[in-house]
Amino acid sequence: METVMDAINYIDINKNSRVPMYQQIVDSIINNISNGNIVLNEKLPSINTISEDFYLSRDTVEKAYGILKERNIIVSIPRRGYYVSKIEATHKLKILFLVNKLSSYKMKMYNSFLDRIGLNSKIDLVVYHCDEFFFLNTLKNNKAGYDYYVIMPHFKTETLQHTSYTDAVIKAINTIPKSKLMILDNLMPPFTDGIGAVYQEFDKDIYEALNDGMSKISKYKKMVLIYPENSVYPFPRRILHGFRKFCLENEIDYEILGEVCDDMVFKKGDLFITIEESDLVDLVNQIRENELKMGDEVGVISYNDTPLKQLLGIAVVSTDFRIMGEMAAQMILSGENSKIKVPFYFIDRASV
């Protein structure tokens, strides 16, 4: 059996990391139990020892040990110390992750969730393509056996309109214990109490982001939003509401189009906002064909950032999907059920 002094060598603290110190202690102990470096019934370093060796407050270490005790991974024995109580208590978290589509930014969120949740988990990813029937069947066939259900609620109606939920979806989700439920990306009003959520507010987000970019936007005479009405994966109509509110309050002439049509009529002073990447590509190609100077004669803003947009100098309004995934994973690991709105930004680039 390892000695207590050996066990402390397996605790890894990176003070430059954004991961809370207490969570780093929890992760270190769990990972080293999983790989056999720390074994059943092994005595762990005392709170004072960890506090002194890593220059941490006692409260930080106590919080870490408290989480491990709640999960039955360690046990405290009066006047003797802390011991590993059950190897089987470190079983992998089983998570059902329901995502509406496999876009580049949704995958960025999913990958950051994977990185943060760590190796001590088993995640089943299901893409339900905004299809209510597929979603309901998935939940029906997976009523038990998961520690958490992570859901991104975006559905399409028969007319290909976006909806956050339906009566059937609400009924199905209500069968999941609130302590096991995590809502991502799109907060559902019927599920606001007692659940964890990391979300956007689509109307407020675009409104506030455009206000942040007003110094650049104000030089344009008209704003044109390309909002795909009949997309395979519909977008929240709250984006429209926020866009209209911004234009009306700032007395800006605006137009909403369903797509970038062939031979688009361009006028100097137009500012276009695209949502789908295919529309962005068509728009940029036509701007070049018309020999217009992007960022001067016409402007372009795209919705949701990607590395390619950054490379091409396309300005965006976007949330941080990496942070969204990290926050969701952190809340699961710490057993929290709070609600966090993810920041939404205007990112200024050469296209405006």
Side-chain angles (χ1 to χ4, degrees), residues 294-305:
M294 187 165 59
D296 182 12
E297 296 171 315
V298 296
V300 176
I301 297 173
S302 186
Y303 198 90
N304 289 330
D305 201 14

Side-chain angles (χ1 to χ4, degrees), residues 200-264:
Q200 303 183 66
E201 286 187 285
F202 297 95
D203 50 349
K204 293 181 181 179
D205 285 343
I206 190 170
Y207 171 82
E208 292 173 358
L210 292 175
N211 269 325
D212 289 342
M214 192 61 183
S215 62
K216 285 292 191 73
I217 292 172
S218 60
K219 71 180 182 182
Y220 294 98
K221 299 176 182 177
K222 182 174 183 176
M223 295 184 70
V224 181
L225 173 64
I226 312 297
Y227 178 86
E229 284 283 356
N230 297 312
S231 174
V232 174
Y233 298 112
F235 293 87
R237 296 190 67 81
R238 283 169 286 165
I239 295 172
L240 292 175
H241 305 331
F243 171 75
R244 285 196 186 99
K245 180 181 179 183
F246 170 79
C247 293
L248 291 171
E249 288 189 2
N250 290 283
E251 298 182 343
I252 297 173
D253 186 21
Y254 73 93
E255 186 174 2
I256 297 172
L257 302 177
E259 62 181 353
V260 175
C261 56
D262 295 335
D263 300 319
M264 177 87 77

